[in-house]
Amino acid sequence: MKTIQSLVFVLLLLLMLNVGVSPMFAKAPTTPKILFTSARDGNYEVYIMNPDGSEKVNLTRHHAHDLDAVWSPTGEQILFVSDRGGKRDIYLMNSNGTNVRRIFKSKTETGREDPTWAPDGKRIAYWYLRGKDGPSGVYIATLGKQDAEYFVLGSVPAWSPDGTEIACGAADPGGAWLILADVRTRKYTRLLPKKALPWQRFPSWSATGEKLVFVGNNDPLPVIAGKGIDEARALHNAWQDKQTIFIVNRDGTGLQQLVDEAGKEAWAPAISPDGEHVLYTQQTNGENQIFKLDVNSGIRTQLTHISRNFGGDWFDPAYALPVSPQPHLLTTTWGDVKTQ
């Protein structure tokens, strides 16, 4: 009886502190699942579906724009970007869409976007555009704490499965390339020589860390200075439509183009945990749709067919990292921001 009374007391105390207890009891999917963004309900929402495209479920169900969702290492929680607070920022929710809360108290002039989890489940990295809180670039934050640390000048980060590196895009006026930045030292190297591809961005790691997929373009960015508006737009669109999906080994070898350049641009790649399939987004019949590509056979499957869809992030319980829920997440800091 005393044990039961103690448990009830603890739960009541947590509720009095305005702390959500559901993260402690959040459950990961028991079968492989894919997160994606869709506007089929009139605004961008975070959805979940099976790897074959079946059983699509809206997780966020909010009038704001919710997008760019990524699984936690254990699959129990989901990071996503939302403008429900007025400007885009990073939010956290359980795997079933419950207990939504904003991570940071401080509001920014622009926004935090493109979150990625560290494999320890304690830290995240994200892309922040220049504002009053610091310069543009990739930042690292510890969950449950408000202070984020500037990491490197780059965009759209992807944390490596072993936790030692963050892949992200870096750019100059003539192009962009992928870098691998050491989390401890902040030193970085290029994944590929700049001459290999003039334009590289949006990396995604395989679960083993042996391969990455990314968006690439074989053509250099066209010079549009001095051109008329229509001509400049035509040049840019022609260049953009040649963007496609590539796969490469972690050491920069074995570069392979996965998607043909025909048609509209291919973007938002995500490699499956087993490295056998790649998700990507491409416009067809005037709408962005999500496709799944078999890396070995080249067989392409369209997973979405309604309205605007993009992105994707895989979870497979067979590849889930052995990270336990962190007790320090249950703090009044997290409880200060309620579901809106």
Side-chain angles (χ1 to χ4, degrees), residues 241-244 257 259-266 282 300:
D241 284 343
K242 292 183 179 180
Q243 289 190 163
T244 186
Q257 184 173 328
V259 180
D260 190 87
E261 294 176 7
K264 294 294 184 179
E265 64 168 321
Q282 192 170 39
R300 186 176 85 155

Side-chain angles (χ1 to χ4, degrees), residues 32-280:
K33 296 289 183 180
I34 292 172
L35 294 170
F36 69 103
T37 301
S38 179
R40 64 189 60 202
D41 290 335
N43 63 300
Y44 290 124
E45 301 272 16
V46 175
Y47 281 75
I48 189 174
M49 66 178 169
N50 294 327
D52 63 0
S54 63
E55 297 184 13
K56 298 178 178 70
V57 177
N58 186 340
L59 293 181
T60 46
R61 297 185 180 277
H62 196 280
H63 57 77
H65 289 309
D66 302 318
L67 61 156
D68 293 342
V70 287
W71 293 103
S72 67
T74 59
E76 295 168 341
Q77 294 178 304
I78 296 169
L79 286 174
F80 68 101
V81 174
S82 178
D83 63 2
R84 62 184 63 195
K87 294 182 180 179
R88 285 191 179 182
D89 210 340
I90 301 173
Y91 287 72
L92 185 71
M93 64 179 171
N94 292 344
S95 60
N96 62 359
T98 61
N99 197 25
V100 178
R101 60 266 195 211
R102 203 179 85 215
I103 287 181
F104 298 95
K105 282 185 179 180
S106 63
K107 295 183 179 180
T108 63
E109 293 177 353
T110 51
R112 305 178 183 93
E113 301 185 28
D114 300 299
T116 179
W117 290 86
D120 61 11
K122 300 178 182 179
R123 296 169 293 168
I124 66 169
Y126 60 90
W127 180 27
Y128 175 60
L129 300 176
R130 180 174 296 138
K132 63 181 180 180
D133 295 330
S136 298
V138 175
Y139 284 71
I140 293 177
T142 299
L143 295 179
K145 297 183 178 180
Q146 291 298 305
D147 294 331
E149 179 183 7
Y150 176 80
F151 178 60
V152 69
L153 180 60
S155 62
V156 194
W159 214 308
S160 67
D162 65 4
T164 63
E165 297 175 307
I166 292 177
C168 60
D172 62 23
W177 59 92
L178 292 180
I179 60 173
L180 300 175
D182 187 289
V183 172
R184 185 177 59 84
T185 67
R186 300 189 188 182
K187 294 181 179 180
Y188 61 85
T189 58
R190 290 187 181 183
L191 175 61
L192 290 165
K194 189 175 181 181
K195 293 182 179 180
L197 282 172
W199 197 264
Q200 312 155 27
R201 56 181 183 165
F202 299 128
S204 170
W205 294 86
S206 65
T208 61
E210 296 175 350
K211 294 182 179 293
L212 296 96
V213 294
F214 63 94
V215 169
N217 196 322
N218 280 304
D219 293 342
L221 195 65
V223 177
I224 60 177
K227 308 290 186 188
I229 294 177
D230 291 339
E231 184 182 2
R233 182 181 292 114
L235 286 171
H236 182 269
N237 289 343
W239 171 84
Q240 189 173 28
D241 284 343
K242 292 183 179 180
Q243 289 190 163
T244 186
I245 310 299
F246 291 81
I247 190 169
V248 68
N249 295 328
R250 158 61 187 79
D251 61 5
T253 63
L255 178 64
Q256 178 186 356
Q257 184 173 328
L258 294 179
V259 180
D260 190 87
E261 294 176 7
K264 294 294 184 179
E265 64 168 321
W267 52 290
I271 190 168
S272 62
D274 61 10
E276 298 294 322
H277 296 87
V278 171
L279 298 176
Y280 67 94

Side-chain angles (χ1 to χ4, degrees), residues 311-322:
D313 189 53
W314 301 76
F315 175 76
D316 188 335
Y319 291 84
L321 295 175

